[in-house]
Amino acid sequence: MKTCLSRRGFLAASAAMAVAPTLQGAAIKPVREFSRGGMVYRQLGSSDLHVSLLSFGSHCDPAYKVKAKHSRVLNPEGQERRDRQLGRSFDLGVNMVDTYENNGQWEPLARLVKPRRDKVLVSICRQFPMFVGENIDRAAKLYGHVDLYRIYLAAGEKVRMKDLEDWDVLRKAKKAGKLRTIGISTHSEAIMMSALEEFEDLDYVMFPYNFIHARTDYTDFIPAARKKGVGLIAIKPLSAGSIVNLDPLADPGTKPENHNMRLYRNTHRPLPPALVAELTKSLKRMPDETLCQAALRFVYTRPFMTSAMPGMFDDYMVEDNYQALQRSLTLDREAQSTLKAARKIADAMGPGWLPPHYRWLDREFRA
């Protein structure tokens, strides 16, 4: 019987005599991170980039969009608001901005980050139907280089031949120094798994991840991606803002980015409202915490996630999302303090702190 190798498997087999064998079953380490000035920065996969745990999403406020030649862009007032919100985010330590060309944001972002280009990570995904190499060249010319460049993969069972051709262009552009990291964005776990097998040098994946769908989706993908050292970035951590529909404490006037977005759409693993209500309770939201803050706090505390990337359309959203991060850090410190205190008590009491038939737990605890 013949064995069919994936593209990645074929290349790996071809190079087997030239490289040392990989370790099988090696322990998967949590994402490395460091803190500075109130912000947490996590390593993006196996790359040398460290991305702020809160990053700035690409979608722009639809209330300020006007029709352009090939798309809809922000009017002057909307652009001023976005620039102000980006400036405030930079002050808070946010270092990654995703930007859509079809929202007219390439040039405004280039002007905004020019004095701090070495401190801001520019993230791009091709939006217009053009050759991906041309899109990369235009972006690299404008920004000097692109820190994170990705292609979007439509739903399906496996990546398409056209996707593989585009991926080869990304790899060549990375080797040429135009791109620092390369990745994909998709909403399909099957495509994510296929990309892990077929795309050599995959640095990261952007995919929808929030407190509701995290409990039912990606059971195969996340462990596989962590094992391969691929970075994970959560897009739509608030389900395009639709989580606000569940929140009676939401700021007046707050609404989803797109009313067609729903938490439990029939096309993506439908979730009954009763289940959503139970999952909402599981967040253990605090009395002074909005549901959106609690939902972001959930994503922040996932040790395998590099960054959460919500869209931010108003000044208070920037502040609220940052405060959710600060709260998650405070709670994490409190939890760590509690564990340290418990360990000290256990050390002082020795194995006698547990009944004889439960002392195996002490061995596990100390391990």
Side-chain angles (χ1 to χ4, degrees):
M1 174 184 282
K2 291 184 178 180
T3 301
C4 294
L5 287 178
S6 69
R7 184 170 184 257
R8 176 188 284 270
F10 173 77
L11 291 174
S14 300
M17 297 184 66
V19 297
T22 57
L23 294 176
Q24 298 295 323
I28 302 173
K29 297 180 181 179
V31 177
R32 297 178 62 183
E33 66 176 44
F34 68 89
S35 300
R36 179 179 296 158
M39 179 57 69
V40 174
Y41 301 89
R42 290 182 175 173
Q43 184 179 10
L44 182 65
S46 302
S47 76
D48 61 353
L49 298 188
H50 283 77
V51 181
S52 53
L53 190 47
L54 169 63
S55 52
F56 205 107
S58 52
H59 290 271
C60 297
D61 193 338
Y64 293 88
K65 284 186 177 181
V66 294
K67 189 174 182 179
K69 186 176 181 180
H70 299 294
S71 58
R72 292 176 61 81
V73 301
L74 290 177
N75 63 22
E77 181 183 359
Q79 191 62 59
E80 181 182 0
R81 286 165 56 88
R82 183 173 175 85
D83 290 350
R84 182 178 68 246
Q85 291 150 18
L86 278 168
R88 175 57 177 160
S89 298
F90 294 150
D91 291 342
L92 294 173
V94 171
N95 76 341
M96 187 179 84
V97 181
D98 197 47
T99 182
Y100 279 175
E101 187 178 16
N102 65 351
N103 280 183
Q105 289 306 300
W106 276 23
E107 289 75 13
L109 181 63
R111 290 193 297 270
L112 199 62
V113 305
K114 186 176 181 180
R116 58 181 110 196
R117 183 64 185 91
D118 60 330
K119 297 181 176 64
V120 177
L121 303 176
V122 174
S123 171
I124 285 176
C125 180
R126 177 186 56 182
Q127 296 296 307
F128 291 128
M130 65 170 62
F131 174 54
V132 67
E134 178 187 352
N135 191 253
I136 291 170
D137 287 343
R138 290 174 57 183
K141 183 177 180 180
L142 182 62
Y143 296 106
H145 66 272
V146 178
D147 302 286
L148 297 91
Y149 191 97
R150 70 188 185 279
I151 54 174
Y152 173 77
L153 304 184
E157 292 301 317
K158 292 184 178 181
V159 297
R160 304 167 300 176
M161 181 58 67
K162 181 63 170 64
D163 299 327
L164 292 168
E165 293 170 356
D166 285 345
W167 188 253
D168 285 339
V169 176
L170 265 64
R171 293 181 67 218
K172 291 176 182 177
K174 181 180 176 181
K175 289 181 180 179
K178 299 174 184 178
L179 312 176
R180 294 182 67 184
T181 60
I182 53 178
I184 66 167
S185 59
T186 184
H187 297 190
S188 166
E189 185 175 18
I191 289 294
M192 296 176 203
M193 295 298 293
S194 179
L196 288 179
E197 288 298 318
E198 300 292 347
F199 286 175
E200 310 84 33
D201 306 321
L202 178 65
D203 290 311
Y204 67 93
V205 175
M206 288 188 181
F207 63 109
Y209 187 90
N210 56 65
F211 79 96
I212 291 175
H213 298 111
R215 311 301 176 86
T216 57
D217 291 351
Y218 317 123
T219 52
D220 295 325
F221 166 68
I222 289 177
R226 292 177 71 191
K227 188 172 183 179
K228 288 180 178 289
V230 173
L232 304 176
I233 297 176
I235 58 176
K236 295 183 172 50
L238 301 177
S239 194
S242 62
I243 285 176
V244 75
N245 287 334
L246 306 175
D247 189 7
L249 298 180
D251 289 75
T254 301
K255 58 183 182 298
E257 170 196 336
N258 185 336
H259 284 289
N260 291 325
M261 297 295 295
R262 294 291 181 268
L263 283 170
Y264 26 90
R265 301 172 63 183
N266 291 331
T267 54
H268 298 293
R269 297 194 186 189
L271 295 176
L275 176 58
V276 173
E278 288 302 313
L279 292 173
T280 302
K281 292 178 185 178
S282 72
L283 280 177
K284 298 180 180 178
R285 184 172 47 154
M286 299 176 185
D288 60 341
E289 188 176 43
T290 68
L291 180 58
C292 288
Q293 286 181 313
L296 270 175
R297 176 166 54 79
F298 173 85
V299 180
Y300 291 148
T301 56
R302 302 304 93 179
F304 49 81
M305 199 64 70
T306 297
S307 184
M309 193 170 69
M312 292 183 269
F313 300 160
D314 213 325
D315 296 357
Y316 81 84
M317 294 181 182
V318 176
E319 304 299 333
D320 282 2
N321 293 345
Y322 179 73
Q323 288 305 316
L325 173 59
Q326 296 306 302
R327 181 159 299 190
S328 71
L329 297 178
T330 299
L331 292 175
D332 183 61
R333 286 193 292 267
E334 291 176 353
Q336 292 297 326
S337 296
T338 301
L339 288 175
K340 288 179 181 178
R343 183 178 292 276
K344 288 181 179 179
I345 294 173
D347 288 341
M349 296 183 66
W353 74 292
L354 284 171
H357 57 289
Y358 280 131
R359 286 180 185 170
W360 62 272
L361 285 172
D362 185 68
R363 293 190 296 271
E364 295 292 331
F365 178 77
R366 294 175 192 280

